[in-house]
Amino acid sequence: MAHDKGLDNVAVHWPRTNQYYDPVAPAEFVDFGTIADRPEIAAPTGALALHIAKTGTVRATAYTELVDLLLGLEGVLYATDAAAEDEDPVIDPDGCAWIAGGLERFVEGHDKFGDLVTFDTVAEVMRTAIAGGRLADQQLRWLEHRLTALRDDAGNAPHWSFARTELVILAGFYRRCAERGFAIFADY
């Protein structure tokens, strides 16, 4: 599936009660706005937190490759499994918990690499996490294949540059949805 338009992940009430999903009021996320006001917060982190606080939505396009790599699937934030089954592209509350958990574990594992998340630091965190597990050789081969596939024709890595705190906010959005029983509608 080609995803050439922008992607928004919109918090919606679950389950739907009519033909359409009802968006969650931004007031459910208003506390995210206080994060944006902190002087020590990186600009991208503040912008994400403020956008969530005002809209109950994440502009998810920038995070899709990272989340897919971390969770080992394709189109996670696009809810492509649901779309492929002729269902609405929705991530249910359990799916939100799964996404939040994956992001939270990554953020914790990235702590020793500092606040700047890049393609190289993502690869190192994932290699470290896999190395100690069952089937480490097989999983490391899978990871190297995925990392190679993300490079362009010239072998250049994606130009990922996220603040670690930005990913904390992203995880917090999905965690909030999971805890309050909201779903995510993938609007693209």
Side-chain angles (χ1 to χ4, degrees):
M1 177 183 289
H3 305 295
D4 52 0
K5 295 181 180 180
L7 170 66
D8 286 342
N9 275 191
V10 181
V12 294
H13 290 281
W14 179 261
R16 72 177 179 202
T17 56
N18 55 36
Q19 182 179 0
Y20 302 103
Y21 289 92
D22 294 323
V24 171
E28 295 285 351
F29 300 95
V30 72
D31 58 311
F32 281 69
T34 61
I35 295 165
D37 294 334
R38 295 181 189 161
E40 74 278 5
I41 292 297
T45 302
L48 176 61
L50 193 57
H51 185 73
I52 291 170
K54 289 182 176 182
T55 66
T57 300
V58 164
R59 291 197 170 123
T61 305
Y63 308 107
T64 58
E65 285 182 334
L66 174 63
V67 171
D68 285 355
L69 178 62
L70 294 177
L71 299 179
L73 296 174
E74 296 291 326
V76 172
L77 300 181
Y78 284 94
T80 53
D81 282 344
E85 298 169 1
D86 291 328
E87 296 177 14
D88 294 326
V90 175
I91 303 166
D92 67 21
D94 290 339
C96 290
W98 176 66
I99 292 168
L103 286 166
E104 290 161 352
R105 284 187 299 279
F106 170 75
V107 165
E108 184 179 316
H110 196 279
D111 187 44
K112 68 181 178 183
F113 293 97
D115 195 47
L116 182 62
V117 176
T118 66
F119 182 78
D120 292 333
T121 63
V122 169
E124 286 306 310
V125 170
M126 292 188 72
R127 285 182 187 115
T128 301
I130 290 171
R134 285 185 50 222
L135 304 172
D137 290 339
Q138 179 183 358
Q139 291 179 344
L140 285 169
R141 282 192 302 276
W142 169 88
L143 175 61
E144 293 308 323
H145 175 73
R146 289 292 300 262
L147 294 171
T148 299
L150 288 169
R151 294 181 180 278
D152 66 17
D153 292 339
N156 298 313
H159 297 286
W160 294 344
S161 181
F162 302 104
R164 186 172 159 268
T165 53
E166 183 180 356
L167 299 180
V168 169
I169 299 301
L170 185 65
F173 173 74
Y174 294 102
R175 179 63 61 201
R176 172 72 51 87
C177 289
E179 289 174 349
R180 298 199 178 167
F182 303 145
I184 297 294
F185 182 81
D187 186 18
Y188 48 96

